[in-house]
Structure formats: C-alpha cells, structure tokens
C-alpha cells in the first residue's frame, strides 16, 4: 500500500503563489501516475494536473501556464507549484496516485484560499 500526506495549503492574495506537497510512503515503486484534483463547494471534483511514467505532464485548461506538477524521487514527494493564483482557484486540493499493485490512493486534502 501507499500512504499520502499533503501539506502546503493556506491563504494567499490573488496573484500570489503556493507550493503543495504530497509525500508518499510504503510501496512507492508501484506508483505509475501522480495527479492533483480539487473540489470547491457546489462543484464536482476536478482533475487539475497529472504526470505519468514515460509520459508528458497534462493540465486542465484553466491552470495551463500557471501550475506545474513535479516530483522528487529521492524524497518520494510530488508537488504542485501554483503561480498567479486567482480567486477561482480556491478549493480543497487532493493528491492521488495510481498503480496496478496499489490501486488508487488519495491524500487527505489541503485547503487553498485565494482572496481578491
């Protein structure tokens, strides 16, 4: 199994930046896909960014050019760098990993609030 612990959320003014972290432990060698999702009140959970082994990173149109997903293999940690934040980015952000041996595993979520 893989366990995920998120950190880095908080309050920031529009135009500011935050970096979310997702630290993985357990069977980390089984991870194939890393993704970030977000959910705000009254809206469905939205896939924001993902990265696959041997594949390119992908982003939802609303964050292209502003968000970057990356990983530090030595630390077994994934990141979401968020720049030029907008109030509409306000949501609970969840990290998620996929693999045949581990299925789908989720972090606990971290709140990001962007003030106007």
């Amino acid at each position: 199994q893989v366990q995920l612990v998120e950190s880095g959320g908080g309050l920031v003014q529009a135009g500011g930046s935050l970096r979310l972290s997702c630290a993985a432990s357990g069977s980390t060698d089984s991870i194939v896909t890393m993704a970030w999702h977000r959910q705000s009140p009254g809206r469905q959970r939205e896939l924001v960014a993902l990265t696959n082994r041997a594949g390119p990173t992908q982003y939802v149109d609303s964050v292209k050019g502003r968000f970057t997903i990356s990983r530090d293999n030595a630390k077994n940690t994934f990141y979401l760098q968020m720049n030029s934040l907008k109030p509409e980015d306000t949501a609970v952000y969840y990290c998620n990993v996929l693999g045949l041996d581990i299925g789908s595993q989720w972090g606990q979520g971290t709140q990001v609030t962007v003030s106007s």
Side-chain angles (χ1 to χ4, degrees), residues 62-76:
S62 60
V63 309
K64 286 181 179 178
R66 301 188 298 119
F67 290 11
T68 303
I69 187 171
S70 62
R71 69 180 75 185
D72 185 334
N73 290 329
K75 296 181 178 180
N76 292 318

Side-chain angles (χ1 to χ4, degrees), residues 37-48 62 86-94 109-114:
H37 302 246
R38 66 186 180 186
Q39 186 169 24
S40 58
R43 303 189 67 177
Q44 297 185 22
R45 187 169 296 187
E46 175 187 39
L47 175 62
V48 176
S62 60
K86 305 174 181 179
E88 49 263 45
D89 295 319
T90 296
V92 177
Y93 285 72
Y94 299 88
T110 185
Q111 176 71 48
V112 172
T113 302
V114 184

Side-chain angles (χ1 to χ4, degrees), residues 4-6 22 94-96 105-109:
L4 305 176
V5 178
E6 296 184 42
C22 184
Y94 299 88
C95 61
N96 165 244
Q105 303 293 331
W106 293 85
Q108 80 280 9

Side-chain angles (χ1 to χ4, degrees), residues 8-65:
L11 278 65
V12 65
Q13 195 169 18
S17 299
L18 286 173
R19 188 178 73 163
L20 307 183
S21 299
C22 184
S25 61
S27 302
T28 57
D29 290 343
S30 296
I31 296 174
V32 175
T33 300
M34 168 67 194
W36 289 93
H37 302 246
R38 66 186 180 186
Q39 186 169 24
S40 58
R43 303 189 67 177
Q44 297 185 22
R45 187 169 296 187
E46 175 187 39
L47 175 62
V48 176
L50 66 85
T51 180
N52 293 315
R53 193 185 79 238
T57 56
Q58 296 176 275
Y59 303 91
V60 68
D61 286 344
S62 60
V63 309
K64 286 181 179 178

